[in-house]
Amino acid sequence: MRMSRLLSTTLRETPAEAEIVSHQLMVRAGLIQKVALGIYTYMPVGWRTLKKIEEIIRQEMDGFGAQELMMPIVHPAELWLESGRWHVYGKELMRMKDRYDRDFLLAPTHEEVITSTIRQCIRSYKQLPLMAYQIQTKFRDERRPRFGVMRSREFVMKDCYSFDRDEAGLDISYEKMAQAYSNVFTRCGLNFRPVAADSGAIGGSGSHEYMALSEVGESGILFCTQCDYAATDEFASVAPVPTGVGEEMLPMEAVHTPNCKSVEELSVLLGVPANRTVKTLCYMADGVPVVVLIRGDRQVNEVKLQHVLDCYELVFATDDEVRAMGMEPGYCGPVGLREDIKIVADNEVPLMVNHECGDGRKDYHLIHVNYQRGDYRIDTVADIALVSKGAACPCCGGTLDFARGIEVGQIFKLHTKYSEKLGARYVDENGQEHDMVMGCYGIGVGRTMAAVIEQHHDAHGIIWPISIAPFEVEVIPVNDRDEWLMAESEKLYKELQKRGCDALIDDRRERPGVKFNDADLLGFPLRVIMGKKCRETGMAEIKIRATGEVLEVALTEVADRVCELRQQMFAALQAPYQWPEE
Ligand code: ATP
Ligand code: MG
């Protein structure tokens, strides 16, 4: 490619709305252009990288036995009514009508369509297992699109789906995809970590998110400093540390605590540490009152709570709603609570001895309360606590640390959630029918590209890993009026292309400074500078973008050295897992 012909403009200024480096650099380097909020065009240079990431994904998907297909972006509402998601997906789902007033949607994901595709062509156990994937545009009307293609409304996703006879089969498919994902992200040059995750709105249980480690990541990760445990902050659990265990249960007593509503105020007034108190929180879950109990020094993780309650809407009860439950706001407690109000407690609460809590009446609290003595009722005990840095690891008891990550991919075990609803069944050896056991596996292709830039850049611009660089090597003749130099540069450029290098020549009539600045901004891994003294000395310079290292090389050897360096760079991005034999 010739720079003079390239449909792209680099910008000196940082666009005001771009909050993070990857977004700024993608706009400044001319990789993307905004069309509307959360909707972008990939310009030719950006598209080249996107296609290279797609190609790596294709190779790994094919290598692990998945087949590529292409499903539609526009789905009929009927399929989503069958799965039940038409009514529950919420505002992220872009709904529309056709000319006959029939309901359609722009697909945010493809479980319904793939399940309906498979139910039409698979009948027998002999046809399973199978995996099918596509790389395609998705649409989600995100509440807060931001960070460019990192969180956009229209975005490119690779989505893969597995179909197995049973759970054991699903475990194998899941493991294959986990390996494929590690290969993809390693080959893209990402510093990433798979972490145990919540399975979210797609459903099912058993999931990992692939996190590119980055300060700007929207996800929190808790990981153990002693063992392999790592989980998202939405999903992480702690080893319960109940307080008071082993003490003799003392008689429960009401104490006068006027104007003392918070855990902190109460700790001071009663001289009771926060970890010996129980907080009572009142929620409305899909309009139904629920009381939640948790140790005073912990926070509720509402994602976990929502799962436990299996509800779509979870909000704090208003003061009036709390009073309607029979309690005074600020003094809530479980003792003597009406039978029709559900009580959910965090794991630690029923184990605590002699704890303090609200009395229910204004200006009173209770001390020496014990669930084990029957002082109050709990309907559901579950892990609903938010885990923070420093907590005990649930696997080994070690200490948990915190990091931020960008979720570039996620894998889920769906089990029979969709096959059951949509009737994707197969017949076994004995003529018995069963629901197929499914998994689903997504990668955000544009988000992966942005995450790579977030991890690989400096003050001057992008530093592409060779595997996904728009171009691998750029030839820069510094003086466009020197015919000999231009001819030699052209010769080298063509030679590099002939040898399989993805080469670009900056043949623009620009000053060297402009060319060098653009080269830094665009960040191609290798640069050959054909300098003014080239003719005299017979030497050129090879500059390595990542290290800034400059090698003086004889013109006759430049192509050899570039190919060698290119090979070394690819070798450093080798995938950790082998493809299974077919
Ligand atoms: P998030 O929690 O970030 O909204 P998600 O968990 O809803 O993402 P999935 O349904 O797991 O997303 O989709 C698979 C992958 O698609 C994600 O891991 C992510 O890389 C990518 N992705 C999801 N939403 C977006 C978006 N709005 N813009 C760009 N990529 C996205
Ligand atoms: Mg996800």
Side-chain angles (χ1 to χ4, degrees):
M1 173 56 78
R2 296 172 184 286
M3 196 88 158
S4 59
R5 306 287 310 143
L6 200 58
L7 174 59
S8 165
T9 33
T10 52
L11 307 175
R12 292 278 156 266
E13 301 299 319
T14 298
E17 63 177 25
E19 298 166 62
I20 58 168
V21 172
S22 58
H23 185 193
Q24 293 165 359
L25 288 174
M26 285 179 90
V27 176
R28 278 189 52 210
L31 308 183
I32 54 170
Q33 204 178 70
K34 183 174 165 181
V35 176
L37 179 67
I39 300 178
Y40 292 87
T41 293
Y42 280 94
M43 299 301 284
V45 182
W47 184 240
R48 291 179 74 91
T49 288
L50 203 86
K51 279 195 297 184
K52 287 192 181 180
I53 300 175
E54 287 186 4
E55 207 37 49
I56 290 174
I57 294 173
R58 272 197 186 93
Q59 287 168 5
E60 295 298 334
M61 289 295 119
D62 295 349
F64 280 92
Q67 305 174 48
E68 187 169 2
L69 48 58
M70 191 63 160
M71 291 179 268
I73 300 179
V74 175
H75 298 182
E78 285 77 29
L79 279 177
W80 285 64
L81 282 163
E82 269 190 70
S83 72
R85 282 206 289 189
W86 175 257
H87 292 298
V88 302
Y89 209 92
K91 288 193 171 166
E92 264 187 31
L93 189 62
M94 187 86 155
R95 297 154 207 262
M96 58 199 184
K97 290 196 183 282
D98 71 1
R99 64 169 73 202
Y100 306 108
D101 212 30
R102 287 187 294 232
D103 287 315
F104 284 86
L105 58 96
L106 283 184
T109 175
H110 278 73
E111 284 77 14
E112 283 79 358
V113 169
I114 191 74
T115 311
S116 122
T117 303
I118 297 299
R119 78 181 167 194
Q120 292 172 61
C121 53
I122 302 295
R123 288 299 302 149
S124 159
Y125 70 96
K126 290 182 192 150
Q127 295 166 285
L128 298 176
L130 70 86
M131 295 195 275
Y133 75 98
Q134 63 174 350
I135 300 179
Q136 195 223 32
T137 298
K138 299 275 186 274
F139 196 93
R140 295 181 184 178
D141 200 356
E142 294 271 351
R143 190 163 51 91
R144 224 183 135 203
R146 57 180 189 155
F147 300 164
V149 296
M150 187 104 81
R151 180 170 296 286
S152 48
R153 296 198 291 171
E154 185 179 303
F155 59 96
V156 180
M157 194 203 284
K158 182 285 300 181
D159 45 327
C160 179
Y161 305 88
S162 65
F163 295 82
D164 278 279
R165 297 177 207 175
D166 49 29
E167 287 289 325
L170 171 60
D171 288 345
I172 294 169
S173 298
Y174 189 87
E175 181 54 28
K176 281 185 182 165
M177 281 296 123
Q179 294 191 355
Y181 273 42
S182 288
N183 283 359
V184 166
F185 297 124
T186 305
R187 290 178 61 188
C188 289
L190 273 181
N191 176 14
F192 70 97
R193 182 158 191 166
V195 305
D198 178 64
S199 44
I202 292 189
S205 72
S207 175
H208 284 83
E209 284 180 4
Y210 284 74
M211 295 289 190
L213 302 178
S214 163
E215 278 303 310
V216 305
E218 293 181 292
S219 313
I221 307 163
L222 286 141
F223 60 96
C224 182
T225 48
Q226 272 112 300
C227 76
D228 275 347
Y229 180 80
T232 65
D233 57 0
E234 288 181 349
F235 186 71
S237 52
V238 265
V241 192
T243 45
V245 174
E247 288 176 13
E248 188 190 335
M249 292 185 204
L250 300 172
M252 184 166 74
E253 257 181 73
V255 286
H256 193 49
T257 51
N259 300 321
C260 200
K261 293 186 178 178
S262 72
V263 171
E264 295 74 29
E265 288 169 326
L266 201 71
S267 291
V268 174
L269 183 78
L270 301 179
V272 177
N275 65 11
R276 306 246 5 207
T277 70
V278 166
K279 259 194 301 207
T280 305
L281 302 163
C282 302
Y283 284 93
M284 300 301 283
D286 292 338
V288 178
V290 176
V291 162
V292 173
L293 307 178
I294 190 159
R295 208 172 86 179
D297 58 336
R298 301 221 191 270
Q299 305 297 322
V300 169
N301 176 333
E302 292 185 351
V303 174
K304 289 184 190 171
L305 180 58
Q306 211 161 348
H307 278 300
V308 170
L309 296 170
D310 196 16
C311 67
Y312 291 110
E313 192 192 59
L314 184 71
V315 288
F316 275 124
T318 62
D319 283 358
D320 285 342
E321 285 164 341
V322 172
R323 288 194 187 98
M325 294 181 207
M327 294 178 288
E328 177 62 24
Y331 297 91
C332 296
V335 177
L337 193 68
R338 266 183 14 221
E339 286 292 324
D340 60 318
I341 298 173
K342 181 174 174 131
I343 304 180
V344 178
D346 183 49
N347 282 335
E348 280 170 340
V349 173
L351 307 174
M352 289 167 72
V353 174
N354 295 331
H355 71 75
E356 176 282 341
C357 64
D359 174 286
R361 294 175 296 162
K362 187 170 185 328
D363 293 345
Y364 283 93
H365 281 84
L366 297 170
I367 54 170
H368 308 149
V369 184
N370 289 284
Y371 169 76
Q372 289 164 49
R373 183 170 57 196
D375 292 348
Y376 59 93
R377 151 185 72 87
I378 295 176
D379 298 302
T380 307
V381 176
D383 168 15
I384 52 168
L386 197 69
V387 181
S388 45
K389 184 182 160 121
C393 170
C395 288
C396 74
T399 311
L400 295 182
D401 201 351
F402 181 84
R404 302 207 74 83
I406 300 165
E407 182 201 321
V408 285
Q410 184 165 16
I411 58 179
F412 299 93
K413 289 183 181 173
L414 293 170
H415 309 285
T416 56
K417 184 178 157 110
Y418 291 92
S419 49
E420 208 179 304
K421 290 217 169 89
L422 285 123
R425 298 163 73 78
Y426 72 93
V427 177
D428 71 12
E429 300 87 321
N430 306 314
Q432 298 276 312
E433 275 212 338
H434 303 275
D435 294 323
M436 292 180 211
V437 181
M438 293 173 56
C440 75
Y441 315 91
I443 292 180
V445 186
R447 190 182 283 184
T448 298
M449 176 170 169
V452 169
I453 298 174
E454 222 31 82
Q455 288 185 353
H456 300 274
H457 68 267
D458 63 13
H460 306 290
I462 303 169
I463 304 173
W464 286 113
I466 195 138
S467 53
I468 62 168
F471 295 95
E472 295 161 354
V473 51
E474 177 178 14
V475 179
I476 305 184
V478 297
N479 182 1
D480 56 68
R481 287 174 213 285
D482 182 336
E483 279 177 21
W484 180 88
L485 193 69
M486 290 309 280
E488 281 300 307
S489 301
E490 283 285 337
K491 221 166 80 188
L492 174 66
Y493 162 63
K494 289 192 179 125
E495 175 66 19
L496 289 170
Q497 281 189 321
K498 213 168 79 193
R499 297 205 197 180
C501 289
D502 215 346
L504 173 86
I505 182 166
D506 193 347
D507 58 344
R508 294 175 302 170
R509 313 215 91 183
E510 288 285 2
R511 284 178 289 114
V514 171
K515 292 185 178 183
F516 293 155
N517 282 342
D518 280 349
D520 279 343
L521 177 59
L522 284 158
F524 309 131
L526 293 164
R527 182 187 312 174
V528 181
I529 303 158
M530 303 287 280
K532 287 199 182 91
K533 294 195 183 142
C534 218
R535 190 171 194 171
E536 255 170 61
T537 58
M539 306 288 277
E541 284 178 352
I542 299 176
K543 184 167 179 185
I544 299 169
R545 177 68 180 92
T547 58
E549 199 182 342
V550 176
L551 313 169
E552 294 257 356
V553 182
L555 270 181
T556 48
E557 283 164 24
V558 172
D560 285 345
R561 281 313 297 279
V562 166
C563 290
E564 206 179 287
L565 288 163
R566 175 182 178 274
Q567 285 299 330
Q568 286 168 5
M569 288 177 171
F570 268 107
L573 296 169
Q574 209 138 70
Y577 296 103
Q578 296 245 303
W579 296 337
E581 294 197 4
E582 277 300 298

